[in-house]
Amino acid sequence: MAAYEPRPPRGDRPLAVLGISDVVVIETSPAVPVSTHHVSAWGRWARDVAIPDAAREAIAQLARRYEIVWASEWGHNAHTAFADALGLPAEPWAFLPVQFDKGPRIRSYAAGLPWVWIDGDVVDLHEPDPREDGLIVRVDPAWGIAGVDLAAVDAEMDALIARRSTAPQPV
Amino acid sequence: MDTGTAYGMRHGAPLYELAQVGPGTPYGEVLRRYWQPVAKVEDATTRPISVRVLGEELILFRTRRGAAGLLHPRCIHRGASLFYGGVEEEGIRCCYHGWVFDTEGHCLEQPCEPDLGLHRDRVRQPWYPVQEQYGLIWAYLGPPDRKPVLPRYDTFEDLADDEVLIVNDEGVGGGGPAVLDFNWLQHWENVMDPFHVPILHARFSGNQFTPEMALIPEVSYEYTPTGVRSIQMRDLGDGRQLRRVTEVMFPNLRVVASPKLASGQTNMIGWVVPMDDTSFRIFTIARDSDREFLAKLRSTHEGRPWKDLDALDHQRLPGDYEAQKSQGDISLHSEDHLTTTDQGIAMVRRMMAKQSRLVADGGDPAGVVYEQGDALVRIEGGNYFEGAPEAPLLAAAVED
């Protein structure tokens, strides 16, 4: 157990695995309305970050269908630091403390559940390995999650689930 | 049943994409887009020396006319090393058959050939451009069509009459030997880790700097156009706040003000220059009226310099060298558990990955400029005291 063991998924719905930087936080010249938020978690450090004004609703919309999992270098800070800005529930969502090449950690965590991973492409030091068990959505860093077509994500997830349900099952 | 034992544990891996520095590696190509200090000006003489930088072995010399040159060591004729060459008026002569090369690799003479080499202008000894500034020799090891201007730093401009520039290549800030024998990134990202200071340098090993530095700071982090900055606030308990600003600037600068808390903008900058993947040097420039400023800055361990410690002392009084060297020749970054106080580390790694991608895609990394008018760099790092100005430093109070 040398590596952090995250709380396991509930298992009753697909996962939406979210990066923070480039997704919730815009680090370049924004193409969408953003607001600056002073974020911290448990004190001792703070950052002023630009969050798309539409992020709050986008994440709320995702949370209605998916179990949200943070996968980022923000580690356990993610939920607490962004709770106010994004209107997150008091009970923190699970997190995967991983900064680069997150695919293997996400697949291992999902353990067969369908998933969508929304992130910036800077985290891909190596090209992610395409698989049939999930979707990879890369955001435009100037738009963040505000630029993601969530209806299209839902449609792709529907198709993914349908493919999996008709695929031959291992005996 | 016992859980969490080391039995069967699997080891992680380094972030090679950020840590490696050789030609063709992702961050090695970033480093090559900037001028790098490779030696002190006085190290370039008519006696050739080997310098190892970014995984490349090179020969540094100074012609008898005074021009510094940095050449690939293996003579293009038949491979003898120019380390054994003889320096002449205009260049360096290979010991084996006497071919002479100037500081840009032009072959000036092939003494055994007709007319000193009928085709000597058709060959070239591989070379790198160098410039001399602030007492250092700077080399550009990158693609020639992307050679930037050599930056200047406001910290080192407009010296007062009693000030001098002090140059040191003995590892100031490294807490150990002059040549540090582990991966450079372990040191560089440590610059953006202010929370190790009150632990490693105070609680654990006694106050290696000053009593103020033993206070756990409140830290804000921010990206800058050229790197990452931490602003550390320490409440000194006497109505004053210490605002200490530390920066990493790309690709490998450390802007760390005196931990002994000289007030105002920092008077020194360091360059963490990889020799290869598992060793590096720190070149430091400072301005001060005391020529011994950098030598006096070295941290001590119960009053003794690092070089005087024995094995038990190193274990009992560890500093930066012991902590960073013990992370491994190249740390296994994937095993790290970055947490609340590691924001700065995560930001540095992220910005490094961005620069690698930029360079791989044909762009220019942060801070590279091509116009002389843009060459002056403003440095923000320093120690800034806010509040009651008459209160002495804790260090002074303790000494009193």
Side-chain angles (χ1 to χ4, degrees):
Chain A
M1 201 180 71
Y4 170 79
E5 282 195 357
R7 190 179 70 222
R10 297 199 313 240
D12 61 347
R13 60 187 63 196
L15 306 179
V17 184
L18 305 181
I20 296 285
S21 306
D22 282 350
V23 180
V24 174
V25 173
I26 302 296
E27 295 180 344
T28 188
S29 298
V32 292
V34 299
S35 299
T36 299
H37 295 259
H38 188 71
V39 303
S40 183
W42 300 285
R44 294 207 170 141
W45 67 273
R47 283 176 63 183
D48 290 329
V49 296
I51 299 177
D53 293 344
R56 187 184 183 107
E57 175 50 32
I59 289 174
Q61 183 178 333
L62 282 168
R64 286 193 279 274
R65 176 174 186 187
Y66 304 88
E67 179 174 0
I68 308 287
V69 180
W70 304 110
S72 79
E73 67 278 15
W74 291 71
H76 73 143
N77 292 315
H79 196 94
T80 302
F82 292 93
D84 287 346
L86 299 176
L88 304 179
E91 175 70 21
W93 291 327
F95 68 94
L96 306 178
V98 57
Q99 185 168 21
F100 299 112
D101 293 335
K102 306 176 183 179
R105 292 284 290 274
I106 291 170
R107 290 190 179 99
S108 172
Y109 179 75
L113 286 171
W115 49 266
V116 55
W117 167 28
I118 302 174
D119 217 328
D121 62 7
V122 172
V123 304
D124 300 326
L125 298 180
H126 302 91
E127 195 66 27
D129 183 21
R131 294 279 181 87
E132 286 301 308
D133 53 344
L135 309 171
I136 297 176
V137 176
R138 288 290 170 261
V139 301
D140 182 326
W143 291 70
I145 198 164
V148 176
D149 182 344
L150 297 180
V153 170
D154 279 343
E156 287 191 56
M157 179 56 72
D158 290 341
L160 172 70
I161 292 170
R163 281 199 305 276
R164 287 160 54 105
S165 66
T166 58
Q169 298 300 307
V171 179
Chain B
M1 184 181 74
D2 295 332
T3 59
T5 74
Y7 177 76
M9 71 176 287
R10 287 180 294 181
H11 289 289
L15 278 169
Y16 286 118
E17 293 76 8
L18 308 186
Q20 290 182 321
V21 300
T25 60
Y27 205 75
E29 291 302 308
V30 175
L31 287 160
R32 280 170 172 74
R33 297 293 299 279
Y34 302 79
W35 290 88
Q36 296 290 338
V38 297
K40 297 192 288 186
V41 291
E42 59 264 37
D43 293 333
T45 69
T46 53
R47 178 182 176 181
I49 61 170
S50 292
V51 296
R52 187 160 180 78
V53 57
L54 306 185
E56 299 188 46
E57 203 76 43
L58 300 165
I59 298 296
L60 177 68
F61 64 98
R62 188 182 298 280
T63 67
R64 295 192 182 279
R65 285 185 184 264
L70 189 64
L71 301 183
H72 180 65
R74 186 177 166 82
C75 176
I76 53 166
H77 177 212
R78 285 182 51 205
S81 174
L82 296 178
F83 178 78
Y84 300 105
V87 172
E88 303 185 352
E89 283 294 302
E90 302 287 353
I92 184 169
R93 183 182 298 273
C94 179
C95 69
Y96 202 6
H97 302 92
W99 288 23
V100 177
F101 305 100
D102 72 7
T103 57
E104 296 187 354
H106 298 104
C107 186
L108 305 180
E109 186 181 326
Q110 299 168 346
C112 303
E113 295 296 306
D115 290 338
L116 301 178
L118 293 170
H119 305 286
R120 64 177 184 270
D121 59 343
R122 305 292 295 173
V123 295
R124 194 88 178 257
Q125 182 69 19
W127 67 288
Y128 286 123
V130 296
Q131 294 190 55
E132 300 185 42
Q133 179 175 270
Y134 301 141
L136 288 171
I137 294 180
W138 305 77
Y140 176 72
L141 277 62
D145 62 336
R146 296 298 185 92
K147 184 173 77 176
V149 296
L150 177 62
R152 302 185 68 83
Y153 300 89
D154 66 348
T155 305
F156 306 133
E157 301 290 322
D158 304 322
L159 300 183
D161 289 343
D162 65 339
E163 288 183 314
V164 293
L165 287 183
I166 308 153
V167 177
N168 183 295
D169 64 352
E170 298 289 314
V172 170
V179 174
L180 294 129
D181 53 348
F182 54 91
N183 183 252
W184 73 284
L185 180 56
Q186 284 146 237
H187 176 83
W188 194 50
E189 65 183 14
N190 175 71
V191 172
M192 213 32 59
D193 174 17
F195 288 101
H196 84 280
V197 175
I199 306 301
L200 178 67
H201 298 301
R203 292 184 187 181
F204 210 85
S205 299
N207 280 340
Q208 291 177 334
F209 302 133
T210 66
E212 287 86 353
M213 296 296 280
L215 302 171
I216 294 181
E218 293 280 332
V219 183
S220 59
Y221 299 96
E222 60 193 29
Y223 288 111
T224 72
T226 55
V228 183
R229 176 183 296 148
S230 78
I231 302 166
Q232 308 145 41
M233 300 298 295
R234 288 175 169 87
D235 186 344
L236 302 185
D238 57 5
R240 290 177 312 148
Q241 293 255 317
L242 166 61
R243 181 166 59 89
R244 180 170 165 82
V245 179
T246 301
E247 297 181 272
V248 296
M249 298 176 71
F250 276 72
N252 58 342
L253 279 69
R254 40 169 288 143
V255 182
V256 182
S258 166
K260 298 189 176 175
L261 301 183
S263 183
Q265 184 199 35
T266 184
N267 66 336
M268 60 179 175
I269 303 174
W271 282 258
V272 184
V273 181
M275 298 171 71
D276 51 35
D277 291 341
T278 55
S279 64
F280 64 96
R281 303 184 77 103
I282 303 171
F283 290 91
T284 306
I285 308 172
R287 66 182 294 170
D288 205 85
S289 55
D290 180 356
R291 291 182 183 275
E292 298 303 310
F293 170 77
L294 286 176
K296 292 176 180 174
L297 197 65
R298 301 302 295 260
S299 58
T300 57
H301 309 252
E302 292 184 343
R304 287 174 293 156
W306 182 86
K307 65 180 177 56
D308 289 349
L309 303 185
D310 62 22
L312 179 61
D313 293 328
H314 284 297
Q315 186 176 19
R316 195 169 57 83
L317 303 168
D320 281 321
Y321 175 77
E322 286 75 16
Q324 293 159 30
K325 168 68 178 173
S326 65
Q327 289 176 298
D329 289 345
I330 305 180
S331 187
L332 305 176
H333 305 98
S334 73
E335 290 186 353
D336 289 353
H337 290 79
L338 299 187
T339 184
T340 304
T341 49
D342 294 313
Q343 279 282 323
I345 304 291
M347 293 169 76
V348 171
R349 292 180 184 177
R350 181 171 170 79
M351 192 160 176
M352 292 176 76
K354 284 187 178 180
Q355 305 317 304
S356 296
R357 184 172 286 256
L358 261 172
V359 168
D361 291 344
D364 293 326
V368 163
V369 295
Y370 297 99
E371 301 297 331
Q372 202 60 49
D374 300 325
L376 187 65
V377 178
R378 162 76 184 156
I379 298 296
E380 303 286 348
N383 297 311
Y384 304 96
F385 291 90
E386 298 166 353
E390 70 280 4
L393 281 176
L394 292 183
V398 168
E399 286 169 3
D400 291 345

mmCIF file of all heavy atoms in Angstrom, chain B residues 167-190:
data_model
loop_
_atom_site.group_PDB
_atom_site.id
_atom_site.type_symbol
_atom_site.label_atom_id
_atom_site.label_comp_id
_atom_site.label_asym_id
_atom_site.label_seq_id
_atom_site.Cartn_x
_atom_site.Cartn_y
_atom_site.Cartn_z
ATOM 1 N N VAL B 167 31.351 35.697 -8.284
ATOM 2 C CA VAL B 167 30.958 34.501 -9.036
ATOM 3 C C VAL B 167 31.421 33.267 -8.272
ATOM 4 O O VAL B 167 32.534 33.225 -7.765
ATOM 5 C CB VAL B 167 31.588 34.526 -10.447
ATOM 6 C CG1 VAL B 167 31.240 33.257 -11.199
ATOM 7 C CG2 VAL B 167 31.093 35.747 -11.212
ATOM 8 N N ASN B 168 30.537 32.294 -8.199
ATOM 9 C CA ASN B 168 30.859 31.079 -7.446
ATOM 10 C C ASN B 168 30.300 29.867 -8.194
ATOM 11 O O ASN B 168 29.150 29.889 -8.634
ATOM 12 C CB ASN B 168 30.242 31.181 -6.041
ATOM 13 C CG ASN B 168 30.586 30.001 -5.164
ATOM 14 O OD1 ASN B 168 30.196 28.874 -5.428
ATOM 15 N ND2 ASN B 168 31.331 30.260 -4.093
ATOM 16 N N ASP B 169 31.133 28.848 -8.331
ATOM 17 C CA ASP B 169 30.653 27.606 -8.948
ATOM 18 C C ASP B 169 30.818 26.432 -7.987
ATOM 19 O O ASP B 169 30.965 25.285 -8.403
ATOM 20 C CB ASP B 169 31.385 27.331 -10.261
ATOM 21 C CG ASP B 169 32.879 27.090 -10.063
ATOM 22 O OD1 ASP B 169 33.374 27.276 -8.934
ATOM 23 O OD2 ASP B 169 33.540 26.709 -11.052
ATOM 24 N N GLU B 170 30.799 26.742 -6.704
ATOM 25 C CA GLU B 170 31.071 25.730 -5.679
ATOM 26 C C GLU B 170 29.797 25.154 -5.064
ATOM 27 O O GLU B 170 29.844 24.543 -4.003
ATOM 28 C CB GLU B 170 31.948 26.336 -4.581
ATOM 29 C CG GLU B 170 33.309 26.808 -5.067
ATOM 30 C CD GLU B 170 34.230 25.645 -5.427
ATOM 31 O OE1 GLU B 170 34.302 24.698 -4.642
ATOM 32 O OE2 GLU B 170 34.837 25.698 -6.518
ATOM 33 N N GLY B 171 28.642 25.406 -5.679
ATOM 34 C CA GLY B 171 27.415 24.776 -5.189
ATOM 35 C C GLY B 171 26.693 25.557 -4.119
ATOM 36 O O GLY B 171 26.057 24.953 -3.241
ATOM 37 N N VAL B 172 26.740 26.888 -4.184
ATOM 38 C CA VAL B 172 25.999 27.697 -3.210
ATOM 39 C C VAL B 172 24.511 27.339 -3.289
ATOM 40 O O VAL B 172 23.912 27.344 -4.360
ATOM 41 C CB VAL B 172 26.181 29.201 -3.499
ATOM 42 C CG1 VAL B 172 25.226 30.034 -2.635
ATOM 43 C CG2 VAL B 172 27.619 29.626 -3.257
ATOM 44 N N GLY B 173 23.930 27.009 -2.159
ATOM 45 C CA GLY B 173 22.523 26.619 -2.116
ATOM 46 C C GLY B 173 22.325 25.116 -2.169
ATOM 47 O O GLY B 173 21.246 24.617 -1.876
ATOM 48 N N GLY B 174 23.371 24.403 -2.540
ATOM 49 C CA GLY B 174 23.251 22.958 -2.657
ATOM 50 C C GLY B 174 23.486 22.226 -1.345
ATOM 51 O O GLY B 174 23.122 21.060 -1.213
ATOM 52 N N GLY B 175 24.111 22.912 -0.413
ATOM 53 C CA GLY B 175 24.329 22.312 0.896
ATOM 54 C C GLY B 175 25.290 21.137 0.885
ATOM 55 O O GLY B 175 25.258 20.297 1.783
ATOM 56 N N GLY B 176 26.167 21.085 -0.117
ATOM 57 C CA GLY B 176 27.073 19.945 -0.208
ATOM 58 C C GLY B 176 28.290 20.285 -1.035
ATOM 59 O O GLY B 176 28.805 21.406 -0.974
ATOM 60 N N PRO B 177 28.756 19.335 -1.837
ATOM 61 C CA PRO B 177 29.978 19.556 -2.610
ATOM 62 C C PRO B 177 29.737 20.466 -3.815
ATOM 63 O O PRO B 177 28.594 20.789 -4.157
ATOM 64 C CB PRO B 177 30.356 18.142 -3.060
ATOM 65 C CG PRO B 177 29.052 17.418 -3.111
ATOM 66 C CD PRO B 177 28.212 17.985 -2.013
ATOM 67 N N ALA B 178 30.835 20.820 -4.468
ATOM 68 C CA ALA B 178 30.735 21.698 -5.643
ATOM 69 C C ALA B 178 30.026 20.997 -6.792
ATOM 70 O O ALA B 178 29.195 21.586 -7.477
ATOM 71 C CB ALA B 178 32.126 22.149 -6.072
ATOM 72 N N VAL B 179 30.363 19.735 -7.011
ATOM 73 C CA VAL B 179 29.658 18.929 -8.015
ATOM 74 C C VAL B 179 28.670 18.055 -7.267
ATOM 75 O O VAL B 179 29.059 17.200 -6.471
ATOM 76 C CB VAL B 179 30.632 18.063 -8.831
ATOM 77 C CG1 VAL B 179 29.849 17.136 -9.750
ATOM 78 C CG2 VAL B 179 31.577 18.953 -9.637
ATOM 79 N N LEU B 180 27.402 18.311 -7.512
ATOM 80 C CA LEU B 180 26.355 17.593 -6.779
ATOM 81 C C LEU B 180 25.982 16.351 -7.574
ATOM 82 O O LEU B 180 25.670 16.437 -8.775
ATOM 83 C CB LEU B 180 25.167 18.530 -6.550
ATOM 84 C CG LEU B 180 25.587 19.676 -5.614
ATOM 85 C CD1 LEU B 180 25.236 21.024 -6.171
ATOM 86 C CD2 LEU B 180 25.007 19.481 -4.232
ATOM 87 N N ASP B 181 26.017 15.213 -6.901
ATOM 88 C CA ASP B 181 25.992 13.932 -7.605
ATOM 89 C C ASP B 181 24.616 13.276 -7.603
ATOM 90 O O ASP B 181 24.455 12.146 -7.166
ATOM 91 C CB ASP B 181 27.037 12.986 -7.008
ATOM 92 C CG ASP B 181 26.902 12.850 -5.498
ATOM 93 O OD1 ASP B 181 26.161 13.637 -4.881
ATOM 94 O OD2 ASP B 181 27.545 11.938 -4.933
ATOM 95 N N PHE B 182 23.648 14.013 -8.087
ATOM 96 C CA PHE B 182 22.311 13.459 -8.278
ATOM 97 C C PHE B 182 21.594 14.326 -9.294
ATOM 98 O O PHE B 182 22.163 15.327 -9.764
ATOM 99 C CB PHE B 182 21.540 13.384 -6.942
ATOM 100 C CG PHE B 182 21.470 14.688 -6.187
ATOM 101 C CD1 PHE B 182 20.421 15.566 -6.373
ATOM 102 C CD2 PHE B 182 22.474 15.038 -5.293
ATOM 103 C CE1 PHE B 182 20.350 16.763 -5.681
ATOM 104 C CE2 PHE B 182 22.418 16.236 -4.591
ATOM 105 C CZ PHE B 182 21.345 17.098 -4.797
ATOM 106 N N ASN B 183 20.378 13.958 -9.632
ATOM 107 C CA ASN B 183 19.685 14.660 -10.711
ATOM 108 C C ASN B 183 19.364 16.110 -10.325
ATOM 109 O O ASN B 183 18.844 16.381 -9.246
ATOM 110 C CB ASN B 183 18.398 13.908 -11.067
ATOM 111 C CG ASN B 183 17.658 14.549 -12.229
ATOM 112 O OD1 ASN B 183 16.623 15.159 -12.041
ATOM 113 N ND2 ASN B 183 18.217 14.441 -13.430
ATOM 114 N N TRP B 184 19.607 16.983 -11.255
ATOM 115 C CA TRP B 184 19.476 18.423 -11.030
ATOM 116 C C TRP B 184 18.072 18.841 -10.604
ATOM 117 O O TRP B 184 17.902 19.794 -9.846
ATOM 118 C CB TRP B 184 19.846 19.155 -12.325
ATOM 119 C CG TRP B 184 18.772 19.019 -13.375
ATOM 120 C CD1 TRP B 184 18.501 17.940 -14.145
ATOM 121 C CD2 TRP B 184 17.794 19.997 -13.716
ATOM 122 N NE1 TRP B 184 17.427 18.180 -14.956
ATOM 123 C CE2 TRP B 184 16.979 19.430 -14.721
ATOM 124 C CE3 TRP B 184 17.537 21.301 -13.293
ATOM 125 C CZ2 TRP B 184 15.901 20.119 -15.286
ATOM 126 C CZ3 TRP B 184 16.476 22.001 -13.854
ATOM 127 C CH2 TRP B 184 15.673 21.401 -14.845
ATOM 128 N N LEU B 185 17.048 18.116 -11.093
ATOM 129 C CA LEU B 185 15.671 18.530 -10.822
ATOM 130 C C LEU B 185 15.346 18.432 -9.330
ATOM 131 O O LEU B 185 14.534 19.215 -8.816
ATOM 132 C CB LEU B 185 14.700 17.682 -11.652
ATOM 133 C CG LEU B 185 13.215 17.990 -11.495
ATOM 134 C CD1 LEU B 185 12.896 19.455 -11.788
ATOM 135 C CD2 LEU B 185 12.387 17.081 -12.405
ATOM 136 N N GLN B 186 15.967 17.503 -8.648
ATOM 137 C CA GLN B 186 15.726 17.384 -7.213
ATOM 138 C C GLN B 186 16.129 18.662 -6.493
ATOM 139 O O GLN B 186 15.499 19.062 -5.517
ATOM 140 C CB GLN B 186 16.477 16.167 -6.652
ATOM 141 C CG GLN B 186 15.794 14.869 -7.003
ATOM 142 C CD GLN B 186 16.728 13.707 -7.250
ATOM 143 O OE1 GLN B 186 16.714 13.087 -8.303
ATOM 144 N NE2 GLN B 186 17.554 13.388 -6.278
ATOM 145 N N HIS B 187 17.171 19.279 -6.981
ATOM 146 C CA HIS B 187 17.569 20.559 -6.375
ATOM 147 C C HIS B 187 16.669 21.697 -6.871
ATOM 148 O O HIS B 187 16.192 22.506 -6.082
ATOM 149 C CB HIS B 187 19.022 20.885 -6.694
ATOM 150 C CG HIS B 187 19.412 22.235 -6.162
ATOM 151 N ND1 HIS B 187 19.795 22.428 -4.858
ATOM 152 C CD2 HIS B 187 19.405 23.459 -6.729
ATOM 153 C CE1 HIS B 187 20.029 23.708 -4.656
ATOM 154 N NE2 HIS B 187 19.798 24.354 -5.779
ATOM 155 N N TRP B 188 16.433 21.726 -8.169
ATOM 156 C CA TRP B 188 15.732 22.898 -8.707
ATOM 157 C C TRP B 188 14.320 23.005 -8.162
ATOM 158 O O TRP B 188 13.867 24.082 -7.784
ATOM 159 C CB TRP B 188 15.715 22.842 -10.244
ATOM 160 C CG TRP B 188 15.328 24.154 -10.868
ATOM 161 C CD1 TRP B 188 15.849 25.383 -10.587
ATOM 162 C CD2 TRP B 188 14.330 24.373 -11.865
ATOM 163 N NE1 TRP B 188 15.249 26.350 -11.364
ATOM 164 C CE2 TRP B 188 14.315 25.750 -12.159
ATOM 165 C CE3 TRP B 188 13.470 23.531 -12.550
ATOM 166 C CZ2 TRP B 188 13.453 26.310 -13.101
ATOM 167 C CZ3 TRP B 188 12.615 24.092 -13.498
ATOM 168 C CH2 TRP B 188 12.611 25.470 -13.766
ATOM 169 N N GLU B 189 13.596 21.907 -8.095
ATOM 170 C CA GLU B 189 12.221 22.009 -7.609
ATOM 171 C C GLU B 189 12.181 22.260 -6.102
ATOM 172 O O GLU B 189 11.191 22.778 -5.588
ATOM 173 C CB GLU B 189 11.396 20.789 -8.009
ATOM 174 C CG GLU B 189 11.823 19.493 -7.400
ATOM 175 C CD GLU B 189 10.967 18.315 -7.915
ATOM 176 O OE1 GLU B 189 10.237 18.457 -8.919
ATOM 177 O OE2 GLU B 189 11.049 17.240 -7.301
ATOM 178 N N ASN B 190 13.265 21.957 -5.423
ATOM 179 C CA ASN B 190 13.352 22.265 -4.001
ATOM 180 C C ASN B 190 13.238 23.774 -3.750
ATOM 181 O O ASN B 190 12.799 24.207 -2.685
ATOM 182 C CB ASN B 190 14.682 21.740 -3.444
ATOM 183 C CG ASN B 190 14.911 22.123 -1.996
ATOM 184 O OD1 ASN B 190 14.238 21.607 -1.117
ATOM 185 N ND2 ASN B 190 15.846 23.018 -1.745
#
